[in-house]
Amino acid sequence: MTDCGYGNVRDALPDYLNDRLDTAHRREVESHLAGCDACREELSLLRTLHVTMRRAPAVNVDAIAAAIPAYRAPVRRGWATPWRVAAAIVALAAGGTSIALLRSHASVQREDVSPYVTATRTREPGPAPQVVAPSTRAAEVPARPAPRSATIQPAPTRELAIASGSIGDLSDAELAALVDDIESLEATPAAEVESAEPLSVGAQEGT
Amino acid sequence: MTDVAPTTDERTDLDLVARWKAGEQRAATLLVERHASALARFLASIGARADVDEVVQDTFVRAFASIDGFRGDSSLRTWLFTIARRLVLDRRRAVRRRGEQVEVQETDVATEYDALDGVVAEETRARMQQAMAALTPTQREVFVLRVSEGMSYREIAEAVDTTEGAARVHYHNAMRAIKEFLDD
């Protein structure tokens, strides 16, 4: 038994056998079959196999149908199911607690601000944080002001600058203290208390 | 040449499903009548001889229980074949876990095609049974779905969890193997 080279026709023979071709394809297959012994042989073999395989074991249709329950539409729940409401309450409580903790932490940070260094955060680029040299601080800067009203403001930038004088004017001890303060700035949390205006810190203790 | 004409059967199936969902239990019975024999043939061809009736029932119960998951991308019959095949595989895995032998014997396949009422000569029928039994399990699955049920390669690929190309290769390899068997 040889195979025909027209693979498309051979591929469609089971569809032809089961009457699953549209009219145009059926005619095409029939036209080919009229002149191709190999495909006629293969179709004959498929018919024999088809008959052989069509014999099915008996099944009890009534029993199977009786086992099928009536249709039950899926239950659609609204948004406000009890567990979702509970989850929303927990989320809100956690959020409020976080804000309170941040404010408390920021307040502590503000009290720890170095007398040398102040950092300013504003929405608009504003005056840079100032580092005041000890030698000029007393003359230019008033005493440390009373407690200031503090606000938390996200700011795009944070800058550090020398307010006046020169680093070269600082003594070794003052310079070391300034370096310590700068290093402590790097550890400042991202969310911290900011003053409405740049803070100018008064004289360092002992100077 | 691979295009297959749409059948009214598929539209009828969807209509019956809609009627069953609307509360007409008789529609479920009609669907069982339309597909139970084809499922039984397929199950017998893949060696589920002993419990064909049970697997067919489980297939319908599962299908109707999850009918809302049927998207209609394939025909209902293809979907039923997919479920039936998975049930058979699950049962075989369960049997393997119990350490029982589950290899499909050639006689399991051959004896399903008894009593052909004289349509095919006895000797020819016996040769066909032997040729089918000599196929690999996958070749046999694909060949039965293609020849006996007239499924497209796309439908077969979905039913036996493979690709269209692989289904086509399995079919032609099966056809070649049957011819070689009969030529010997």
Side-chain angles (χ1 to χ4, degrees):
Chain A
M1 191 176 288
T2 57
D3 289 340
C4 167
Y6 288 82
N8 286 347
V9 174
R10 288 181 56 219
D11 221 21
L13 289 178
D15 297 321
Y16 178 79
L17 185 67
N18 285 281
D19 197 21
R20 294 200 68 184
L21 293 178
D22 59 29
T23 304
H25 285 159
R26 169 166 283 276
R27 285 178 181 163
E28 189 177 345
V29 170
E30 287 173 344
S31 173
H32 177 83
L33 285 170
C36 181
D37 291 341
C39 282
R40 278 201 305 274
E41 279 185 33
E42 183 161 319
L43 181 62
S44 176
L45 174 59
L46 285 171
R47 278 207 174 96
T48 304
L49 288 162
H50 184 263
V51 171
T52 302
M53 290 186 284
R54 292 297 290 182
R55 184 72 186 181
V59 290
N60 189 336
V61 172
D62 290 337
I64 294 170
I68 298 171
Y71 176 68
R72 292 179 62 187
V75 177
R76 297 183 185 280
R77 296 178 183 274
W79 185 90
T81 53
W83 70 269
R84 281 180 172 164
V85 171
I89 291 171
V90 169
L92 286 172
T97 305
S98 298
I99 291 172
L101 286 172
L102 281 173
R103 283 183 172 165
S104 171
H105 178 72
S107 176
V108 171
Q109 288 293 325
R110 181 172 54 81
E111 293 303 323
D112 289 344
V113 168
S114 161
Y116 286 105
V117 180
T118 63
T120 301
R121 284 186 173 184
T122 60
R123 292 185 184 279
E124 298 296 328
Q130 297 174 329
V131 176
V132 181
S135 60
T136 58
R137 212 170 38 241
E140 297 176 11
V141 180
R144 184 172 184 166
R148 300 161 292 270
S149 61
T151 59
I152 299 176
Q153 293 178 335
T157 59
R158 174 181 177 137
E159 295 178 356
L160 189 66
I162 305 298
S164 61
S166 167
I167 289 179
D169 296 335
L170 299 178
S171 67
D172 290 343
E174 289 169 337
L175 196 57
L178 176 60
V179 169
D180 288 343
D181 282 335
I182 291 172
E183 287 175 351
S184 71
L185 263 184
E186 293 174 354
T188 305
E192 60 184 67
V193 175
E194 305 293 348
S195 62
E197 295 180 359
L199 297 178
S200 297
V201 181
Q204 188 181 12
E205 284 184 13
T207 59
Chain B
M1 192 62 69
T2 56
D3 291 345
V4 175
T7 65
T8 55
D9 285 352
E10 292 171 11
R11 287 191 291 274
T12 303
D13 283 343
L14 295 177
D15 177 59
L16 287 171
V17 168
R19 284 162 56 186
W20 175 70
K21 290 171 78 170
E24 187 182 337
Q25 198 64 16
R26 170 69 183 155
T29 304
L30 293 173
L31 282 166
V32 173
E33 287 176 352
R34 288 168 63 83
H35 300 295
S37 291
L39 281 171
R41 274 195 303 271
F42 174 64
L43 291 169
S45 76
I46 62 175
R49 183 173 63 118
D51 44 7
V52 164
D53 205 58
E54 192 177 323
V55 177
V56 171
Q57 177 168 312
D58 284 355
T59 300
F60 278 105
V61 170
R62 289 201 182 196
F64 280 101
S66 57
I67 199 73
D68 289 308
F70 174 59
R71 299 185 302 273
D73 295 338
S74 61
S75 69
L76 183 73
R77 178 169 286 197
T78 300
W79 191 54
L80 290 171
F81 274 86
T82 305
I83 294 171
R85 182 174 180 273
R86 286 178 184 161
L87 282 172
V88 170
L89 294 178
D90 287 346
R91 283 169 179 245
R92 286 179 181 168
R93 287 192 197 99
V95 169
R96 280 197 197 96
R97 279 197 294 272
R98 293 197 298 267
E100 299 175 19
Q101 182 70 22
V102 293
E103 289 299 318
V104 179
Q105 303 299 321
E106 289 188 2
T107 51
D108 288 341
V109 178
T111 52
E112 294 305 326
Y113 306 113
D114 291 341
L116 288 173
D117 302 325
V119 176
V120 179
E122 183 68 23
E123 187 178 347
T124 303
R125 178 177 60 83
R127 291 283 288 164
M128 296 298 164
Q129 290 172 348
Q130 292 165 359
M132 289 287 296
L135 300 177
T136 68
T138 305
Q139 285 176 345
R140 192 160 48 237
E141 276 184 339
V142 170
F143 196 79
V144 167
L145 294 176
R146 183 83 180 118
V147 177
S148 179
E149 306 305 328
M151 283 187 175
S152 67
Y153 291 120
R154 183 178 61 80
E155 291 169 325
I156 294 170
E158 184 172 334
V160 304
D161 195 22
T162 186
T163 64
E164 265 186 76
R168 178 178 276 106
V169 169
H170 283 307
Y171 166 75
H172 286 289
N173 285 344
M175 190 75 236
R176 185 181 305 113
I178 289 171
K179 285 178 179 177
E180 288 173 359
F181 183 91
L182 295 174
D183 284 343
D184 284 345

